[in-house]
């Protein structure tokens, strides 16, 4: 009987703890996402969102779209083939308030392939 009571208490505590954890406000996230011909990243500590086309193997480009006040905000990065080495970054704190959930969609281009490829989407919180 004592053993069953202890099990019930442990299960009850676990249910309460998980309920509280799920009820917490959205927490910001930091990520790095390889999109085939480049990388998309977000650094929460700096509120910095970056898009970078890889600087290798000819012409490469990465384009991402973010929602912005009912419209879409687009960032495109071109690689060193176009004379634009490095990435293209934006500080999102000038566009979005803290703890805003966003879904970014990406597509990329590689000159040898000669076509744009949709890379899907990824969600994160600022």
């Amino acid at each position: 009987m004592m053993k069953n009571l202890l099990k019930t208490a442990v299960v009850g505590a676990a249910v309460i703890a998980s309920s509280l954890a799920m009820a917490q406000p959205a927490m910001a996230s930091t990520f790095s996402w390889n999109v085939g011909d480049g990388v998309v990243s977000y650094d929460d500590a700096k509120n910095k969102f970056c898009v970078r086309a890889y600087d290798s193997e000819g012409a490469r480009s990465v384009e991402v779209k973010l929602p912005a006040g009912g419209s879409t905000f687009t960032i495109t990065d071109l690689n060193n083939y176009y004379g634009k080495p490095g990435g293209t970054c934006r500080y999102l704190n000038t566009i979005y308030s803290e703890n805003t959930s966003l879904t970014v969609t990406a597509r990329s281009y590689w000159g040898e392939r000669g076509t744009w490829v949709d890379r899907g989407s990824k969600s994160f919180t600022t």
Side-chain angles (χ1 to χ4, degrees):
M1 174 126 149
M2 220 29 191
K3 193 173 185 179
N4 286 339
L5 190 56
L6 181 59
K7 282 182 186 178
T8 303
V10 169
V11 169
V15 169
I16 290 169
S18 66
S19 296
L20 289 173
M22 287 191 255
Q24 296 297 315
M27 298 302 291
S29 55
T30 295
F31 72 88
S32 180
W33 177 28
N34 183 327
V35 293
D37 299 302
V39 67
V40 176
S41 62
Y42 176 68
D43 180 346
D44 181 56
K46 297 177 183 172
N47 213 351
K48 188 175 179 182
F49 184 84
C50 295
V51 179
R52 181 169 183 168
Y54 292 138
D55 288 329
S56 63
E57 301 179 41
R60 288 184 190 264
S61 180
V62 175
E63 177 186 274
V64 297
K65 294 182 185 270
L66 289 162
S71 61
T72 303
F73 177 57
T74 303
I75 301 173
T76 303
D77 185 63
L78 305 173
N79 73 353
N80 59 345
Y81 178 85
Y82 299 103
K84 308 277 186 186
T88 302
C89 298
R90 300 286 183 268
Y91 291 94
L92 297 186
N93 57 343
T94 61
I95 304 166
Y96 305 102
S97 59
E98 187 68 21
N99 292 327
T100 300
S101 287
L102 299 171
T103 300
V104 59
T105 58
R107 68 184 195 142
S108 65
Y109 176 84
W110 180 31
E112 280 191 36
R113 189 176 53 242
T115 59
W116 285 90
V117 175
D118 289 328
R119 300 299 183 170
S121 60
K122 184 167 185 79
S123 296
F124 68 102
T125 303
T126 62

